[in-house]
Amino acid sequence: MAAQVGLEGLSIGALAEAMEMSKSGVFAHFGSRDELQISVVREYYARFEREVFQPAMEQPRGLPRLQALFKHWMRFTSAELDSGCIFISGAIEFDDRPGPVRDALIEAVETWMAAFTRAIAQAREQGHLAADVDEHQVAFEIHGLILVLHYEARFLQRPGALERAVQGFHNILARYRA
């Protein structure tokens, strides 16, 4: 529901109606709209972690792990192009609204990006990327691919956006290889 209507569109009443429950029953479980929204962010991140991060950790450190992270991230992203990404829509809805929901969104995205940045640093340490690679710059560029993929594929509905994002990843790796 949050992927379709955004976190801001998610409410105790809307969830109660969708679940055919009473508002008081849903309220008893979450306590507030903020807690409902934060629970959705946490569940979304847990799913992201299970589908993207954990499978990639089975790969050896370095380029194989970095490539697996991107592959799983792309698979996750591709699946949500029809419904939307809670992190992206949440960033738009809460970018200028301080509070606990924004804090939960930031924590989830920063946790993921720190793990992704670590994988890039490990690829450099393994000698798969150039010794002078700035892992933060590479993470920024790759994250940018995901963001523009959503924009191109979901908003503009341009065909070939997935292929261009994959090609962009290969171009980034080629530019930074050892």
Side-chain angles (χ1 to χ4, degrees):
M1 178 184 276
Q4 293 170 347
V5 300
L7 287 169
E8 192 56 30
L10 191 61
S11 68
I12 299 285
L15 183 59
E17 185 177 318
M19 299 300 296
E20 297 180 358
M21 294 176 62
S22 68
K23 285 184 185 179
S24 60
V26 174
F27 185 82
H29 185 73
F30 293 104
S32 71
R33 182 174 182 221
D34 279 356
E35 284 304 314
L36 168 63
Q37 293 169 329
I38 290 167
S39 293
V40 168
V41 169
R42 289 184 180 144
E43 178 56 35
Y44 184 79
Y45 181 77
R47 193 182 80 184
F48 183 88
E49 193 173 50
R50 277 191 310 274
E51 294 180 26
V52 176
F53 184 73
Q54 290 173 355
M57 291 302 101
E58 297 171 9
Q59 297 299 314
R61 283 184 178 192
L63 205 51
R65 185 174 292 171
L66 181 59
Q67 290 169 323
L69 283 167
F70 184 76
K71 178 180 118 186
H72 294 295
W73 196 2
M74 285 296 293
R75 184 178 301 139
F76 189 87
T77 299
S78 298
E80 67 187 7
L81 284 175
D82 290 333
S83 61
C85 173
I86 289 175
F87 292 152
I88 293 173
S89 63
I92 293 166
E93 292 174 319
F94 291 91
D95 65 345
D96 60 352
R97 293 182 43 210
V101 178
R102 182 179 192 272
D103 294 344
L105 283 162
I106 288 171
E107 179 183 357
V109 172
E110 285 185 343
T111 299
W112 161 242
M113 290 309 299
F116 194 72
T117 303
R118 260 191 322 277
I120 296 165
Q122 290 170 350
R124 181 190 61 225
E125 292 159 8
Q126 296 292 319
H128 300 149
L129 298 177
D132 64 345
V133 159
D134 176 353
E135 63 269 17
H136 298 285
Q137 181 62 36
V138 176
F140 181 89
E141 291 178 28
I142 295 170
H143 191 204
L145 290 174
I146 298 295
L147 297 175
V148 78
L149 170 61
H150 274 271
Y151 191 83
E152 291 273 325
R154 187 166 162 73
F155 179 60
L156 298 175
Q157 298 181 345
R158 289 192 176 149
L162 284 167
E163 293 80 11
R164 283 192 296 282
V166 170
Q167 184 59 52
F169 178 70
H170 292 303
N171 293 347
I172 290 168
L173 290 184
R175 193 168 62 249
Y176 291 115
R177 279 193 192 240

